[in-house]
Structures are given as C-alpha cells and as structure tokens.
Amino acid sequence: MPMPWKNQPDLLSMLVALLMTTLGAIASYANRVIKGERFSWLVLLLQVIVSIFAGSLMILAGIHYMWPLEVTGGICGLAGWSGPALIKALEARFLSKAGDANAGNQ
C-alpha cells in the first residue's frame, strides 16, 4: 500500500529551493548594480519578493514533475535570477493556451 506522505516534498528540498531563489534574486540585483544602477534596499526587497513568487511557481512545477533536489534548486535559482521575466513568459503561455481553448468554444 503506497504511503501518501512519501509523495510529499521534504523540508530540505523546499529550503534549498527557497535559498536558491533568494540567491538568484540577490545575484541578479547585484549584477544590475555592477552595471551602474544605483543601489536601493527597497528595490532589492521588491526584487526578492517577485523572485520568490517566480521560484514558488518552479517549486510547484518541481513537485508536479518530481524533479530531483538538484534540478529543482537550479531551476529555482534561475527563476530567482529572471524574476519578472519568467512570470511574464509563463503568463503569456498560459493566456495563449486559454485563448486557444476559448476560441474553439465560440
């Protein structure tokens, strides 16, 4: 008999994914500062918030597709780095799929 809790992600995986997302966000912002943008704690905080949302979407994808810890952490790091760009890309894909599905029903 399968154990339902065995399919749940463990705490370590979630913490690694969150850490990688946060590191990706900070690295992305640090790169912008290196390129000449003025440093702001508020902008950094907002960057981290947006990136954590993007990383959370990737955590959910990792859980769904049962990615290993290393893959989930890497993808979350990339999501943290790209932040709003990833969210916009996912939004465009979702809306195009929803639009295609709705076009056939009319």
Side-chain angles (χ1 to χ4, degrees):
M1 180 169 145
M3 304 295 178
W5 64 83
K6 292 284 186 180
N7 294 332
Q8 299 299 317
D10 60 39
L11 184 59
L12 177 62
S13 297
M14 300 295 268
L15 290 175
V16 167
L18 179 63
L19 175 69
M20 291 303 294
T21 300
T22 305
L23 287 175
I26 293 170
S28 174
Y29 188 67
N31 186 48
R32 289 172 33 196
V33 171
I34 289 170
K35 290 181 178 179
E37 188 174 310
R38 189 167 176 251
F39 180 81
S40 166
W41 285 106
L42 178 62
V43 174
L44 176 60
L45 175 67
L46 295 174
Q47 174 76 31
V48 169
I49 290 170
V50 171
S51 294
I52 287 175
F53 175 66
S56 297
L57 293 174
M58 292 299 99
I59 290 170
L60 293 174
I63 291 168
H64 176 74
Y65 292 111
M66 293 184 280
W67 294 336
L69 171 66
E70 298 83 3
V71 173
T72 303
I75 295 296
C76 287
L78 290 173
W81 175 272
S82 62
L86 175 71
I87 294 169
K88 283 195 159 296
L90 292 173
E91 176 188 28
R93 183 174 172 99
F94 176 76
L95 291 177
S96 71
K97 295 256 185 209
D100 291 343
N102 289 335
N105 292 334
Q106 294 178 355

